[in-house]
Amino acid sequence: MIEFLKQIEMDFQYLNSVATNIDYNESILDYYAVLQAEMRGLQQDLDPAVKWSRLLLEEKPFDGPLHKLHAEMKAEEKKVYRKLDTMSRCNQKWYLDVYQDARIKDFKKTHLCKDKFCNNCKKVKQASRMQRFIPEIEAFKDHKKIHLVLTLPNCSGPDLPDTIKLIFTKFQKLTEYLSGTKKIKGIDIHNWGYNGAVRSLEVTYKKHSYHPHLHVLLVMDKRFELGKKQHVNSFSKKYGKVQRMFSDKEILIQKIWYLLLNSIKVTKQAIHDLEIGYSSMMDEFKEGDYHELFKYMTKGNGSETGEAEGLMTYDNFKTLYFA
């Protein structure tokens, strides 16, 4: 594990490579500037309530006192200005120890903005999370670790904030069933040996369609077994070919996850009556899965694979910012 942690330290080669992020970050800074200008314009509008709610991706217009609306606008604008300021100075100053005779420059630190959209900071934040959490997780080295991916159908930009809130709330419900705090009569999910979980959100997107999903590390008792992967359903196929089969436990999680997200009471009968749930995958956790668990919220191109599809649009940026 010590060797693995060394691999995620930020070395000079990585810090030097952040120069390639300049164009991307400048585009994000332009988006922040446009967003700030929008907010300033709304503050001077005679009737900004409807436009403000639309900017915040909310359905109902602001119905409170006008002075409260302007205070809310001003506070949000200041937050955007601070992001503009800190991101524009990200990685601009490096602190070095210089040894002239040996012609060595020893890198010590640089100031980073820590913005969710900053390409300089994404991998640094990922490494920081890994350095913090992996030693805690390794305390359970005698337990079984499972990588669970929980998905749901894509949603529109205006629906993204509520969808993210929903999956966080329903994930909490799922862990209650796993831990036995809540029980499903006739279903033994509470006997699987659940000890705890770490979950992280990722949002991929294509044009105006957004795909929020969770990567989860489940810590289970050593006796836990995933079981034979023998079921084929519509989530098994990719490009018309069967790429994956599911175990009984995966099928059960798929159905419970569907019922939870659609606010249907989770019972043995409801599970039995449901033909197919939402795509969920469970596999034994590998060291490489830490990169999935602790990676950044979204990619600059929105792609699941990381393939170049162009920079996010301003609408993508604004949707993700408020969501």
Side-chain angles (χ1 to χ4, degrees):
M1 183 47 58
I2 297 300
E3 288 303 312
F4 178 67
L5 288 174
K6 285 180 179 178
Q7 293 172 22
I8 61 173
E9 290 175 356
M10 295 296 99
D11 59 15
F12 179 82
Q13 184 178 1
Y14 168 73
L15 289 163
N16 192 45
S17 74
V18 297
T20 62
N21 298 325
I22 291 173
D23 290 343
Y24 168 86
N25 275 13
E26 284 181 350
S27 296
I28 297 299
L29 284 167
D30 287 342
Y31 290 164
Y32 271 127
V34 173
L35 182 58
Q36 186 186 32
E38 276 193 67
M39 291 176 175
R40 283 181 175 170
L42 286 175
Q43 289 178 57
Q44 296 164 13
D45 199 299
L46 292 175
D47 186 17
V50 174
K51 293 180 181 177
W52 178 245
S53 63
R54 196 173 297 151
L55 182 70
L56 299 179
L57 306 175
E58 295 173 353
E59 291 183 8
K60 295 181 180 178
F62 187 91
D63 59 358
L66 194 59
H67 72 273
K68 188 176 179 182
L69 172 63
H70 281 283
E72 187 177 316
M73 288 178 172
K74 200 164 188 66
E76 192 65 42
E77 186 209 329
K78 282 183 178 178
K79 188 162 75 172
V80 172
Y81 173 78
R82 285 196 297 271
K83 287 178 174 291
L84 258 171
D85 182 51
T86 55
M87 193 172 177
S88 64
R89 292 184 286 111
C90 182
N91 200 47
Q92 295 297 307
K93 290 184 178 180
W94 290 21
Y95 294 88
L96 311 168
D97 278 345
V98 180
Y99 303 92
Q100 297 284 5
D101 292 344
R103 301 181 70 182
I104 291 173
K105 292 180 180 179
D106 183 17
F107 173 82
K108 292 300 180 184
K109 67 176 181 177
T110 183
H111 286 304
L112 297 172
C113 67
K114 301 179 182 178
D115 189 273
K116 284 186 174 68
F117 294 98
C118 176
N119 258 10
N120 289 339
C121 297
K122 285 178 179 178
K123 286 189 178 295
V124 176
K125 289 180 77 173
Q126 180 190 39
S128 175
R129 289 173 183 146
M130 292 168 78
Q131 291 273 21
R132 176 184 171 192
F133 282 101
I134 289 176
E136 301 290 336
I137 294 167
E138 284 302 302
F140 296 90
K141 61 185 178 182
D142 294 330
H143 290 65
K144 185 71 66 71
K145 298 180 184 67
I146 301 297
H147 186 184
L148 168 65
V149 182
L150 295 168
T151 74
L152 68 163
N154 289 12
C155 65
S156 66
D159 288 335
L160 183 59
D162 286 339
T163 302
I164 291 173
K165 290 176 186 174
L166 178 69
I167 60 178
F168 284 168
T169 301
K170 299 305 182 181
F171 175 72
Q172 179 63 37
K173 295 287 185 185
L174 178 62
T175 62
E176 289 175 4
Y177 286 121
L178 286 166
S179 67
T181 306
K182 288 181 176 287
K183 294 186 178 179
I184 309 167
K185 190 175 180 181
I187 302 289
D188 69 348
I189 188 172
H190 60 281
N191 292 324
W192 286 5
Y194 171 82
N195 283 259
V198 178
R199 61 114 172 104
S200 68
L201 170 71
E202 182 180 15
V203 183
T204 54
Y205 55 90
K206 189 170 184 179
K207 295 183 179 179
H208 302 296
S209 179
Y210 294 84
H211 180 58
H213 54 282
L214 296 179
H215 288 274
V216 182
L217 166 64
L218 293 175
V219 178
M220 314 295 284
D221 286 349
K222 195 171 184 178
R223 61 182 170 82
F224 176 80
E225 295 293 338
L226 271 173
K228 184 179 179 181
K229 293 179 182 281
Q230 56 189 340
H231 301 284
V232 175
N233 60 26
S234 58
F235 304 126
S236 300
K237 296 178 180 179
K238 192 173 183 180
Y239 307 118
K241 294 183 178 180
V242 174
Q243 302 284 334
R244 181 183 185 92
M245 301 177 81
F246 298 105
S247 67
D248 290 341
K249 288 185 173 71
E250 286 175 289
I251 296 295
L252 179 59
I253 291 293
Q254 288 177 3
K255 292 185 176 184
I256 292 174
W257 187 235
Y258 176 97
L259 295 171
L260 286 171
L261 288 175
N262 288 281
S263 298
I264 301 170
K265 187 175 181 180
V266 181
T267 64
K268 183 179 180 180
Q269 189 62 47
I271 292 168
H272 179 267
D273 291 344
L274 187 60
E275 185 176 343
I276 191 168
Y278 285 153
S279 178
S280 304
M281 298 170 284
M282 298 173 73
D283 294 291
E284 291 202 16
F285 199 89
K286 305 179 295 293
E287 271 198 353
D289 291 338
Y290 281 122
H291 289 277
E292 288 292 318
L293 184 64
F294 294 112
K295 71 181 179 185
Y296 25 89
M297 175 197 72
T298 191
K299 296 182 177 73
N301 58 16
S303 168
E304 297 252 14
T305 61
E307 295 173 0
E309 295 179 3
L311 178 71
M312 69 173 71
T313 65
Y314 175 63
D315 283 342
N316 293 146
F317 165 79
K318 189 164 63 174
T319 297
L320 291 164
Y321 174 81
F322 286 113

